[in-house]
Amino acid sequence: MAGPTDLAGPVWPAPVADGPVDVAVRLPGSKSLTNRALLLAATADGPSVVRRALRSRDTELMASALRALGHGVDSSGDDWAVTPAVDASGDARVDCGLAGTVMRFVPPVAALRTGRVAFDGDEHMRTRPVGTLLDALRDLGVDVDGGPFLPFGVVGRGSVRGGRVVLDASASSQFVSALLLAGPSYEEGVDVVHDGKPVPSLPHLEMTVAMLRDHGVRVTAPGDEGSEPDRWTVAPGPVAALDTAIEPDLSNAAPFLALAAATGGRVLVRDWPRSTTQPGDRLREILPLMGCTAELGDDGLLVAGPDELAGVNLDLREVGELTPVIAALCALAGSPSVLRGVAHIRGHETDRITALATELGRLGADVTEREDGLELRPARLHGAVFRTYADHRMAHAAAVVGAVVPGVGVEDVATTSKTFPGFADVWSGLL
């Protein structure tokens, strides 16, 4: 077990369910949708409102970043009002914290200002990849100093030429999304070509394209008539101001639905959308493979767990952020599992593959680390301190295991405030 000097925060005793749960939960809004909506509102042709915005560390960091660039963001209520900058000039500083969307989405917009914008973030953030995006911005005519990691600076000249750029986005789909979101404001728009291994997390790219189109932007994406694989184009033009309603965060639903799976109980997540681009919606397909039932009704998504969880063989490339919670369930399953296609999550808040292998192993799991995923076999788990590495998804995984394995302590559960403030209180209240 890790000693006190090894830990980055206090240890939270994960509450144990006294039997199959039967609960309902209403989740806060989607971080991915909120931060995209805020950025598009800041580049729009008039004031916008982001309704039911998620209030979390990541979204507060995005709001602060946009304010630093001169945009107005009133986040005092549940609905956030955004006013595009009138005078976008002067030097500025942006704190990325641990928010990948801030580190990657804001620099292409910062380049539209006049002046230097300095970017930095938390210590853990200084190892997350961003060099590919910085090189792409240079190719599009942007002056960037520093890199390939934080800290770096973007020197804006008041406009960006834009045009065609070729990059390798196999480490993160956010590299492409970042350029597409700023593309309408570039003189020539953007023509982004991916050259490399498959792009991960494609649902997030589909989310970006859908939101751009909602704002009246002309986008061509793979799968469109006459389109090319691995090529996205955004035409220059105005971004229409909108009132945008934010859906519940379906990735944050993962630990709650996993609670039903782990305890053989029932969990209802209220207000689950009938149609969505969020990758968390794939839980409706994944959990039944493990023996659960999943029914989408007027009240939301109801998941019921089995008497014993079944192992799975899954390619999670498109939904890599679900890997920690799914791995936790696989550690509890009665048959072996293979999770693959997620080499890119080594570059998330932490190296999630190594972290999961280490921490699940600390609890007694029989787990093998692969280059692109994990192999897990049935084993008897026991209590121990589960380290989170400042990663909210690791804390979610620990809470799931702790719901059925007594004695699991979660180090720094407060890291969940990144996308779900109050997670520990909500979780404890359910149990």
Side-chain angles (χ1 to χ4, degrees), residues 204-227:
H204 278 121
L205 258 175
E206 294 165 0
M207 176 187 295
T208 297
V209 169
M211 293 185 74
L212 282 164
R213 287 172 173 162
D214 287 344
H215 284 264
V217 177
R218 288 187 291 127
V219 185
T220 302
D224 295 343
E225 184 177 353
S227 66

Side-chain angles (χ1 to χ4, degrees), residues 28-50:
S30 163
K31 178 264 294 185
S32 297
L33 289 170
T34 297
N35 276 358
R36 283 167 172 78
L38 290 173
L39 194 86
L40 287 169
T43 60
D45 57 8
S48 300
V49 177
V50 180

Side-chain angles (χ1 to χ4, degrees), residues 61 64-66 68-69 92-97 102 106 110 117-121:
L61 285 166
S64 295
L66 295 175
L69 300 187
R93 300 186 65 84
V94 169
D95 176 12
C96 302
V102 176
V106 177
V117 180
F119 290 83
D120 204 352

Side-chain angles (χ1 to χ4, degrees), residues 350-383:
T350 187
D351 178 339
R352 285 179 173 166
I353 294 176
T354 295
L356 286 166
T358 300
E359 300 309 313
L360 290 173
R362 191 188 304 279
L363 302 183
D366 183 358
V367 54
T368 301
E369 179 178 345
R370 297 166 38 141
E371 180 182 355
D372 72 335
L374 299 165
E375 294 180 14
L376 299 104
R377 292 160 292 276
R380 183 179 296 277
L381 304 190
H382 55 74

Side-chain angles (χ1 to χ4, degrees), residues 38-39 42 59-74 82-96 102 106-107 109-120 154:
L38 290 173
L39 194 86
T59 59
E60 293 282 13
L61 285 166
M62 178 63 81
S64 295
L66 295 175
R67 292 188 194 104
L69 300 187
H71 306 287
V73 182
D74 180 357
V82 183
T83 307
V86 176
D87 178 18
S89 62
D91 293 348
R93 300 186 65 84
V94 169
D95 176 12
C96 302
V102 176
V106 177
V109 173
L112 296 164
R113 291 172 46 85
T114 301
R116 182 179 185 274
V117 180
F119 290 83
D120 204 352
V154 173

